[in-house]
Amino acid sequence: GNSVTQMEGPVTLSEEAFLTINCTYTATGYPSLFWYVQYPGEGLQLLLKATKADDKGSNKGFEATYRKETTSFHLEKGSVQVSDSAVYFCALSEGITGGGNKLTFGTGTQLKVEL
Amino acid sequence: GAVVSQHPSRVICKSGTSVKIECRSLDFQATTMFWYRQFPKQSLMLMATSNEGSKATYEQGVEKDKFLINHASLTLSTLTVTSAHPEDSSFYICSASQTGRVSYGYTFGSGTRLTVV
């Protein structure tokens, strides 16, 4: 079956530091890949997505590239801010984005950014 | 953009009572709704998938008689926790998707914190 593995947290960084959160996946077929962010006490917000190999998703300074050869979708940001403190989830779905296929989530990585 | 409204955001109920959580898609038709449960500092566990007008498909280990899901219209799905007990206390999140509308993807509600006392 499908699975997503992401690095354990918490990850603690100083403001303006470079961020990488690793994510690798196992899937049959050609999944779509996502990063979601969850702020305390809230639901999930889509951060970025990629639907095919070599696609790069980007949003709010975050980027992730769909690497089929390494089955990875690592999240990066060049300069983090305190407001980026949250839990980040890597996820995949089979088939097209927005279809009725369920999402498979990683365990989440908590990011803490300090001044 | 697509918005999913989930209510209530917090609810406290007595053991043995039932609680209903609503999830509404405000500006699109949600052909599929997903219900998740999230334990503290853990990932989301998919409980069930429901398609409008049909019975929900429950994940292995989820009691369908305890967690009743109704998806009667394209904009509303409900999760009812029946005869709630303290171990049902958790954060419940819904997610909606619209088949064929690539741009909408999966839109999540803001979650419901259920506390059973």
Side-chain angles (χ1 to χ4, degrees), chain A residues 60-109:
Chain A
K60 300 180 181 179
F62 291 90
E63 293 183 341
T65 301
Y66 189 143
R67 301 288 189 198
K68 194 171 187 300
E69 63 276 13
T70 55
T71 61
S72 64
F73 193 54
H74 304 322
L75 182 67
E76 297 181 336
K77 186 175 185 182
S79 176
V80 294
Q81 305 298 313
V82 172
S83 57
D84 294 326
S85 298
V87 180
Y88 292 81
F89 291 94
C90 185
L92 70 81
S93 75
E94 293 285 356
I96 63 171
T97 308
N101 302 300
K102 64 182 182 182
L103 285 167
T104 300
F105 285 92
T107 52
T109 302

Side-chain angles (χ1 to χ4, degrees), chain B residues 20-93:
Chain B
K20 180 183 284 189
I21 302 170
E22 289 190 351
C23 187
R24 293 180 184 272
S25 57
L26 298 185
D27 49 4
F28 69 101
Q29 295 182 326
T31 45
T32 305
M33 288 276 199
F34 305 88
W35 286 94
Y36 296 86
R37 182 174 180 176
Q38 185 179 31
F39 295 96
K41 298 185 179 181
Q42 293 189 27
S43 189
L44 282 75
M45 181 190 78
L46 179 65
M47 299 174 66
T49 302
S50 72
N51 292 297
E52 184 266 339
S54 61
K55 290 184 178 180
T57 301
Y58 289 81
E59 295 297 303
Q60 192 172 10
V62 177
E63 299 176 61
K64 62 180 181 181
D65 293 331
K66 181 167 188 60
F67 298 100
L68 301 179
I69 291 172
N70 184 284
H71 192 170
S73 78
L74 284 171
T75 59
L76 174 64
S77 177
T78 60
L79 166 66
T80 302
V81 183
T82 63
S83 186
H85 291 284
E87 58 265 30
D88 299 323
S89 298
S90 194
F91 193 58
Y92 294 88
I93 307 175

Side-chain angles (χ1 to χ4, degrees), chain A residues 9-14 17 110-114:
Chain A
V11 173
T12 303
L13 296 173
S14 298
Q110 184 176 12
L111 170 65
K112 297 180 181 179
V113 181
E114 302 173 334

